[in-house]
Amino acid sequence: MSFSSSASLSVRLRRSVLSVPAINPRALAKVPDLDCDVVIFDLEDSVAPEKKGEARANLRRFFADTSPLHGKECIIRINGHDSGFADDDMATVIACRPHAVLLPKVDGPQDVERVADLLAEADAPEGLRIWAMMETPLGVLNAAAIARTGRTDGARLDCLVVGLNDLRKATGVPAGSGRTFLVPWLMQVVLAARAFGLDVIDSVSNDFSDIAAFEAECRQGRSMGFDGKMLIHPAQIEPANRYFGPSAEEIAEAQAIAEAFAAPAAAGLNVVNSNGRMIERLHLDQAERLLTKARIIQDRKGNSA
């Protein structure tokens, strides 16, 4: 199974980003039937050191034997460059050619640039992108500099993913305190991603049995500007798709904006009057992206019917 993807600024669905342990063949076998937008095949935290080789072999078999997954991005999360496992992990990435490689514990631009150089040296296709986990204090402090690497020559950085478990551990913020004290850091990562045109994914919710708490985090994450949420269990897919996907009301509003600018009287105008509201052309750009996402969702439903 070989994948390619288009430019990093294209519209993509990243509402539900499910992490699947590469060491678990049963979990891997279920992936084609899941309704998530993105699958992260994890070689890092969910795989014990003595099982890393077995997990890589599982991934090579999965990518060789599985037909392309319609509507899903496939990401491989590798181990850190100083772990002793990264070289073999990258060889697996090159062999499998997923849509992207996810780097853990990114502290600064050099971590992204190092992997970009490795991919270039291996003649990896341009469509093989880089995602970065923002889960260390230094990484959050350097969020803008990291995001900026997505706009340099030969850039592959596509998306930032927040990792609150490691960030809590490093900062001493208790897990039971909710996310109140984490909001400034979350918003810092969102701002950095938006400044350089990247997507940004909210952190996992650890108690997958508490769907009400998960939905509350989804509502908060959507309000904060995240594109989607990282998940640890299939039960979290439906709520993530629902909260981070466009609602019927949002689709209707986007269609009204598109129609207002499509009217002959709006030709050449940057601002139009739509039902008593002044609508700027920047709102048209937002509306068109939302409508594109809605079409992708509808097309995927049609293909799975």
Side-chain angles (χ1 to χ4, degrees), residues 11-219:
V11 176
R12 291 196 173 277
L13 284 180
R14 288 166 174 166
R15 304 164 298 173
S16 49
V17 181
L18 179 67
S19 181
V20 176
I23 194 59
N24 188 335
R26 290 181 60 190
L28 293 175
K30 294 177 181 178
V31 163
D33 297 323
L34 298 176
D35 192 32
C36 53
D37 296 330
V38 182
V39 180
I40 295 174
F41 299 95
D42 187 34
L43 292 171
E44 196 214 9
D45 285 345
S46 64
V47 181
E50 66 273 14
K51 295 287 188 179
K52 301 290 188 184
E54 182 181 343
R56 292 187 207 101
N58 287 344
L59 282 191
R60 287 178 182 251
R61 281 193 297 272
F62 179 86
F63 276 79
D65 298 342
T66 306
S67 300
L69 304 180
H70 179 78
K72 292 185 181 71
E73 282 185 274
C74 294
I75 318 296
I76 294 177
R77 179 162 74 163
I78 65 172
N79 292 272
H81 74 276
D82 57 353
S83 66
F85 302 114
D87 289 346
D88 289 336
D89 289 350
M90 283 302 299
T92 299
V93 169
I94 297 300
C96 293
R97 293 196 174 188
H99 290 100
V101 54
L102 176 58
L103 313 183
K105 299 176 178 64
V106 172
D107 282 334
Q110 69 280 358
D111 296 329
V112 176
E113 292 163 352
R114 180 187 302 111
V115 173
D117 289 343
L118 290 173
L119 292 173
E121 290 168 6
D123 290 326
E126 183 183 350
L128 205 169
R129 314 299 293 178
I130 295 173
W131 288 26
M133 289 293 303
M134 309 297 292
E135 52 187 344
T136 69
L138 192 55
V140 174
L141 286 174
N142 289 332
I146 293 166
R148 187 181 290 114
T149 65
R151 294 296 162 262
T152 56
D153 290 341
R156 293 176 182 263
L157 184 64
D158 232 25
C159 188
L160 305 181
V161 184
V162 177
L164 289 185
N165 287 332
D166 283 283
L167 196 56
R168 282 191 176 104
K169 179 181 177 181
T171 59
V173 176
S177 63
R179 307 203 322 169
T180 301
F181 303 109
L182 303 171
V183 167
W185 304 335
L186 291 167
M187 293 306 302
Q188 188 164 326
V189 176
V190 171
L191 190 64
R194 298 307 184 218
F196 295 98
L198 306 181
D199 279 355
V200 58
I201 305 300
D202 196 2
S203 181
V204 299
S205 180
N206 293 313
D207 187 356
F208 60 82
S209 65
D210 191 344
I211 295 299
F214 177 74
E215 290 188 347
E217 283 194 13
C218 287
R219 284 193 297 270

Side-chain angles (χ1 to χ4, degrees), residues 202-268:
D202 196 2
S203 181
V204 299
S205 180
N206 293 313
D207 187 356
F208 60 82
S209 65
D210 191 344
I211 295 299
F214 177 74
E215 290 188 347
E217 283 194 13
C218 287
R219 284 193 297 270
Q220 182 193 46
R222 174 72 185 273
S223 296
M224 295 169 73
F226 284 99
D227 293 290
K229 194 162 179 65
M230 189 173 175
L231 317 178
I232 59 172
H233 193 276
Q236 298 174 324
I237 294 173
E238 188 279 330
N241 284 347
R242 177 161 33 93
Y243 279 98
F244 287 98
S247 67
E249 293 78 9
E250 289 170 326
I251 293 172
E253 181 180 3
Q255 288 174 332
I257 292 172
E259 289 168 2
F261 273 100

